[in-house]
Amino acid sequence: MSERKGKKRPKSYYIKCANKKPKRDSWKLEAGMKGFLVTCNNNEKGAVRDAYNILNEYADKLYGPEKESSGSKEDEDLSEEEEEEDIEKAMKKEVDEIKESKHELRRFQNTNTKAKNLIFIRTTIPDPSQLAHSILSDLWETKVQKSRFAIRLLPIAGTCRAEEDEVKKLGKELFTPIFQTPFGEGYNFSIIVKIRNNNGLGRDSVIPALAGIIKDLNPLHRVNHDKPDFVVLVEVAQSVCCLGIVKDFFKFKKYNLQEVVKTNSENVSIKQGNLNREESSCAVSSYVTPEEDAKSNLSQETTEVEEVKCEETKDAHISVIPDNDIEDGNNLVEGSAKDDLLIPESESEKQANEKDGSTSTCCDKTTGAVLKVNDSTENT
């Protein structure tokens, strides 16, 4: 048998390790935070980078650049006398500054949510919803895509433990400045709940509780899921509940950084495509090929020839009646108005009438009556 390597550890060692508390994660999602929830698709590092770039760009416009740490300013103001201090004191001072800088909060800091494809960016700015609305409104107007991996950017006004009483307490605190309106003024609101990795809190209990708080502040507030003025976001990740209140939620495609730019640009391209189609259809309809032009000319010539032939036949078959009055019973009709309604006489009838020398007969097309026409005229 092979000899054992080393000695067996005593039982007290294992008891000590079991009772040892794990190190506290200082960048963990906890209650009492505010910031931004960022969703992504499998590339969390790229999404964090995109979120940092976008948030810092627009935060510098709204709030100015971030203040530098106190340690860097002190380093710039070092005098020659401080440089000549002992090496031990200088090393100790640097260590103290590093420890202090760890506890200082940056304007935007990534935290651990312990959920896949979900990132929480902690912030120190007073109103995250204002910054998020300014970002999405600018993307809506400029149509410039600035995110590659980050998908949605949801502002979170506060966090608490995922318990119904804690959610009510935080909701009342956040709803009072917005939904406590004067009498006669009410808003349309909607509540959207998303729960991840948690079975203790259900949407059926959260929605009525938060809606009741809003109704207590002003009974004129109404639920409207189509065009709400404000949308209450409830995002639960394990044991932490995040609450946020946003405007223009459906206009900005649920605060989707990629769809906002895509849909707006698609609408513009569709309009341009429709205009181009209308112009092309007009041009095609107005264009006539040489063959069609020749056919149209031939058809016009044939119609003109047919009209001339019809006129010749009318002149040949219809007898011209002088401007004498035609008697039809008791009615007198002018001969010029009845030219088209008269049927010419046959040759035998003409010869018989010529022998009589006084009258000639014609038949009316419409009535079928026989008309007598006086041929004799007075010589002047």
Side-chain angles (χ1 to χ4, degrees):
M1 292 179 67
S2 61
E3 297 181 357
R4 291 183 178 180
K5 295 182 180 180
K7 296 180 180 180
K8 184 179 179 180
R9 290 175 176 174
K11 189 176 180 180
S12 59
Y13 173 79
Y14 296 100
I15 294 173
K16 184 179 178 181
C17 292
N19 294 330
K20 188 177 180 181
K21 294 182 180 180
K23 291 183 179 180
R24 183 174 177 272
D25 190 1
S26 58
W27 307 118
K28 180 184 175 181
L29 179 59
E30 296 176 344
M33 293 183 178
K34 58 183 177 180
F36 301 91
L37 271 178
V38 181
T39 61
C40 62
N41 192 5
N42 296 329
N43 195 337
E44 295 187 3
K45 290 183 179 180
V48 171
R49 183 173 61 251
D50 291 343
Y52 278 155
N53 294 334
I54 294 172
L55 292 172
N56 284 316
E57 178 184 353
Y58 287 92
D60 291 342
K61 295 178 182 178
L62 290 177
Y63 307 105
E66 187 177 2
K67 294 180 181 179
E68 297 179 357
S69 61
S70 60
S72 61
K73 290 182 178 179
E74 290 178 359
D75 291 339
E76 293 176 358
D77 297 336
L78 285 175
S79 60
E80 294 180 358
E81 294 179 357
E82 291 178 352
E83 291 178 359
E84 295 177 357
E85 289 181 354
D86 297 337
I87 298 174
E88 294 180 359
K89 291 181 179 180
M91 292 292 294
K92 186 178 180 181
K93 190 175 181 179
E94 289 180 2
V95 171
D96 294 337
E97 289 176 357
I98 292 170
K99 289 180 179 179
E100 290 177 359
S101 64
K102 285 183 179 180
H103 296 286
E104 289 180 359
L105 294 176
R106 300 290 303 274
R107 178 183 281 176
F108 301 108
Q109 182 63 50
N110 184 24
T111 59
N112 185 14
T113 59
K114 294 184 178 179
K116 189 177 180 181
N117 296 330
L118 185 67
I119 301 162
F120 186 82
I121 306 294
R122 185 177 182 177
T123 184
T124 57
I125 62 176
D127 191 3
S129 60
Q130 181 184 2
L131 179 60
H133 191 272
S134 64
I135 291 170
L136 289 159
S137 60
D138 184 68
L139 295 178
W140 176 267
E141 293 173 359
T142 59
K143 310 179 201 56
V144 177
Q145 186 169 347
K146 298 183 179 181
S147 174
R148 182 179 178 185
F149 302 104
I151 299 174
R152 296 177 68 190
L153 182 69
L154 303 177
I156 301 300
T159 59
C160 65
R161 289 182 296 172
E163 299 175 1
E164 188 174 350
D165 296 335
E166 295 291 330
V167 173
K168 288 182 179 179
K169 185 179 178 181
L170 179 62
K172 190 173 183 180
E173 181 183 348
L174 297 177
F175 297 160
T176 302
I178 297 173
F179 291 102
Q180 193 171 14
T181 57
F183 182 76
E185 182 180 354
Y187 294 131
N188 295 327
F189 70 93
S190 177
I191 301 174
I192 297 176
V193 180
K194 178 72 175 179
I195 299 174
R196 300 177 179 87
N197 304 334
N198 186 296
N199 296 323
L201 192 66
R203 65 190 309 274
D204 295 334
S205 60
V206 172
I207 293 175
L210 296 178
I213 295 171
I214 296 173
K215 289 281 189 179
D216 293 339
L217 294 173
N218 192 340
L220 295 177
H221 297 315
R222 293 287 181 268
V223 177
N224 189 343
H225 299 293
D226 295 329
K227 293 182 180 180
D229 298 323
F230 293 97
V231 174
V232 178
L233 301 176
V234 182
E235 299 282 341
V236 179
Q238 288 193 350
S239 61
V240 181
C241 178
C242 306
L243 285 179
I245 304 169
V246 297
K247 296 186 296 183
D248 300 327
F249 187 68
F250 295 106
K251 176 185 175 182
F252 294 147
K253 305 301 177 183
K254 300 181 180 180
Y255 278 47
N256 193 314
L257 298 173
Q258 298 178 3
E259 292 295 329
V260 166
V261 180
K262 187 185 298 182
T263 54
N264 202 7
S265 61
E266 284 179 356
N267 292 333
V268 174
S269 62
I270 289 169
K271 291 180 181 178
Q272 292 178 353
N274 293 332
L275 292 173
N276 293 333
R277 287 177 184 175
E278 291 177 358
E279 291 176 357
S280 61
S281 62
C282 293
V284 170
S285 61
S286 62
Y287 176 72
V288 179
T289 59
E291 296 176 356
E292 293 177 351
D293 192 7
K295 289 180 181 179
S296 63
N297 293 331
L298 289 173
S299 62
Q300 289 178 0
E301 291 176 357
T302 53
T303 53
E304 290 177 356
V305 171
E306 290 175 356
E307 289 177 355
V308 171
K309 288 181 179 179
C310 291
E311 291 178 355
E312 291 177 353
T313 54
K314 286 181 181 178
D315 295 337
H317 293 287
I318 297 173
S319 62
V320 178
I321 300 173
D323 295 335
N324 297 327
D325 295 335
I326 302 172
E327 296 180 357
D328 183 8
N330 296 324
N331 298 327
L332 296 175
V333 182
E334 293 181 359
S336 61
K338 284 289 183 177
D339 288 341
D340 297 334
L341 300 176
L342 299 177
I343 300 173
E345 297 174 334
S346 61
E347 293 180 357
S348 61
E349 290 177 352
K350 284 183 181 180
Q351 293 175 0
N353 290 329
E354 288 176 356
K355 289 179 181 180
D356 295 338
S358 60
T359 60
S360 63
T361 61
C362 292
C363 182
D364 193 351
K365 290 180 182 179
T366 57
T367 61
V370 177
L371 304 178
K372 293 181 180 181
V373 181
N374 292 324
D375 293 334
S376 63
T377 57
E378 295 180 359
N379 295 323
T380 58

